[in-house]
Amino acid sequence: MKTNRPAGKATSRSSRIRNLLTLIILVAVTGYLLIPGLGPDLLDLGRSSSGTGGSPSSSSQINPEIVTALGKVRVREGEYESTRRYEREDFGEAWADEDHNGCNTRNDILSRDLSDVEYTSPRKPCKVLSGRLAEPYTGESVEFVKGPNTSPLVQIDHVVALGDAWRSGAQKWDLAKRQRFANDPLNLLAVDGKANYEKGSASADQWLPANRHYHCRYVARQLAVKAKWDLSMTRAEKQAINSVIATCPTVKLPQDFGEIKP
């Protein structure tokens, strides 16, 4: 013969079980939300891997050489490191034969940057008579012919201008080092004479070539020169270079043409 249990006791036990289950669930949910790597963190991870904001930062995409060079260049607080305006003579002989190959630097760069080059003396390929320049600053093709009225149409630009170098630390160098800098092929390009004149001694935050397709390689070359020669930048200049580099993260530092050493 069975004895029925009082209904009140059964109800009380069921209530305790429900309360215990509720407490367990509450503790589990709280732990899920609070433990690092779970909860919101896990949801964020899912969103980042889904392609809606999970692409790596621009700095992780940039060529490591560029990142290293940017970190190497000093940032100066003031506009100038120099105390007086420079003169061209402060950088020694113009277009000196620093690599001792028998040709001056201007002709070396014309030979390097022009195509279809002809020389005044074919037996000694040194003095450039004519050629064609794929001009980097304007994006146009320029015919070069040696002569008093035509030679200035193609000029050799110091990518880091001598005036910029002077205020970035070159004033502290001796004359021999400044002359080596002024003839370093890494810092030289054959360019349109008018564009070279318009640039003057401007830094990257003050002037960029009209040819937008050349911006990345232009600032990469400026960066390479300043890193090689331990020249400083202003904050605005470094920010401008960063902004350009961010649009072309795969750009590389140019190769160092020639053997000019700091």
Side-chain angles (χ1 to χ4, degrees), residues 39-166:
D41 292 341
L42 192 59
L43 293 176
D44 286 341
L45 178 61
R47 280 195 293 269
S48 65
S49 62
S50 67
T52 58
S55 59
S57 64
S58 59
S59 62
S60 66
Q61 295 176 341
I62 294 175
N63 187 303
E65 289 183 346
I66 295 286
V67 176
T68 299
L70 280 168
K72 181 179 179 181
V73 175
R74 296 176 292 111
V75 175
R76 65 180 185 272
E77 294 301 327
E79 184 67 18
Y80 303 96
E81 286 192 20
S82 62
T83 56
R84 67 171 177 85
R85 183 180 178 86
Y86 91 100
E87 301 293 338
R88 180 59 183 85
E89 292 75 16
D90 290 321
F91 286 85
E93 178 186 350
W95 310 134
D97 182 14
E98 283 288 329
D99 61 0
H100 309 294
N101 68 348
C103 300
N104 68 26
T105 303
R106 175 178 167 82
N107 281 293
D108 282 342
I109 301 304
L110 288 174
S111 294
R112 185 195 73 187
D113 291 354
L114 271 59
S115 61
D116 301 327
V117 177
E118 294 186 5
Y119 299 93
T120 56
S121 175
R123 288 177 297 180
K124 185 180 180 181
C126 183
K127 295 182 180 180
V128 175
L129 176 64
S130 64
R132 181 179 297 107
L133 174 65
E135 209 286 328
Y137 291 174
T138 65
E140 299 176 355
S141 180
V142 179
E143 296 294 330
F144 170 78
V145 178
K146 181 179 175 62
N149 296 322
T150 54
S151 289
L153 298 178
V154 173
Q155 300 179 9
I156 307 302
D157 179 40
H158 291 94
V159 180
V160 173
L162 299 184
D164 184 20
W166 181 261

Side-chain angles (χ1 to χ4, degrees), residues 218-231:
Y218 176 75
V219 301
R221 187 173 289 273
Q222 282 205 336
L223 174 61
V225 171
K226 289 212 164 183
K228 174 181 177 180
W229 290 88
D230 191 26
L231 293 170

